[in-house]
Amino acid sequence: MAIYPIRTFGDPVLRTPAAEVTDGAESLQRLVDGMLETMYEAPGVGLAAPQIGISKAIFVADVGEGPFAMVNPEIVELSGSWTFDEGCLSVPGHYWSIKRPGYCKARGTDIHGNEVVYEGEELMGRVLQHEIDHLNGMLLLERLPRRTRKQALKEMRERQLGMIESP
Ligand code: NI
């Protein structure tokens, strides 16, 4: 297994919609093992393949109920509303209070191509939405209210340019 370097804000792979996964189970198992190891090491509760530079529609997560992976997932249901201090391993050191639907249901497959459905409220619902956003080339910054987003992007750019110290 391998711990992958995590791509951070500014890397174009994070803005690129991920390609549909067509790989076989054996190579997906290796990828999932490495992604989980990377996620736990970080530590984080979810990690999408683009975050390690692989533009494929697969993510792993563990919200405390054990690890799972979803291949080619799509959101099929959203409801309610929940505000949560959300962070992202690709935007390290930052948390923003973000309001999203509280409940999310997602459908996809496991690494063997069998259909799987994951759903949940609060943290589970949030992780499903956050990781599927990554697969659509979207970061949590885009979920911020306009003014907060402008300020956050300014801060990110300054940090990239070394104008202010990283956390
Ligand atoms: Ni993230």
Side-chain angles (χ1 to χ4, degrees):
M1 281 192 275
I3 298 208
Y4 296 96
I6 295 176
R7 306 296 181 92
T8 53
F9 175 80
D11 191 316
V13 73
L14 297 171
R15 296 287 185 195
T16 308
E20 191 183 343
V21 173
T22 53
D23 308 55
E26 208 173 299
S27 72
L28 288 180
Q29 185 65 65
R30 275 196 303 275
L31 177 61
V32 164
D33 289 346
M35 285 174 68
L36 282 170
E37 199 177 344
T38 304
M39 182 190 83
Y40 287 127
E41 166 79 16
V45 294
L47 185 74
Q51 293 185 274
I52 55 164
I54 296 174
S55 196
K56 290 181 182 176
I58 179 168
F59 75 82
V60 297
D62 183 349
V63 296
E65 294 158 13
F68 67 95
M70 282 193 96
V71 176
N72 300 325
E74 54 169 359
I75 292 174
V76 292
E77 202 180 322
L78 291 169
S79 65
S81 153
W82 189 50
T83 301
F84 176 67
D85 275 343
E86 191 171 328
C88 177
L89 295 175
S90 293
V91 192
H94 291 270
Y95 292 87
W96 290 282
S97 176
I98 299 177
K99 186 173 160 184
R100 297 190 192 232
Y103 169 83
C104 177
K105 180 180 187 176
R107 182 179 294 140
T109 73
D110 63 15
I111 59 166
H112 303 283
N114 304 310
E115 187 181 293
V116 291
V117 170
Y118 288 96
E119 62 178 334
E121 304 266 359
E122 302 201 335
L123 188 58
M124 181 62 165
R126 183 59 57 108
V127 167
L128 291 170
Q129 292 172 69
H130 180 111
E131 300 313 324
I132 292 171
D133 270 0
H134 273 303
L135 302 181
N136 291 322
M138 199 184 286
L139 289 172
L140 78 172
L141 294 158
E142 276 138 278
R143 298 294 184 183
L144 293 173
R146 197 186 165 84
R147 269 190 63 189
T148 319
R149 184 172 66 232
K150 263 185 88 174
Q151 182 56 40
L153 287 171
K154 185 167 169 270
E155 223 178 287
M156 296 279 132
R157 275 194 297 271
E158 287 173 353
R159 187 156 286 156
Q160 274 188 307
L161 295 170
M163 288 161 71
I164 52 174
E165 264 178 49
S166 291

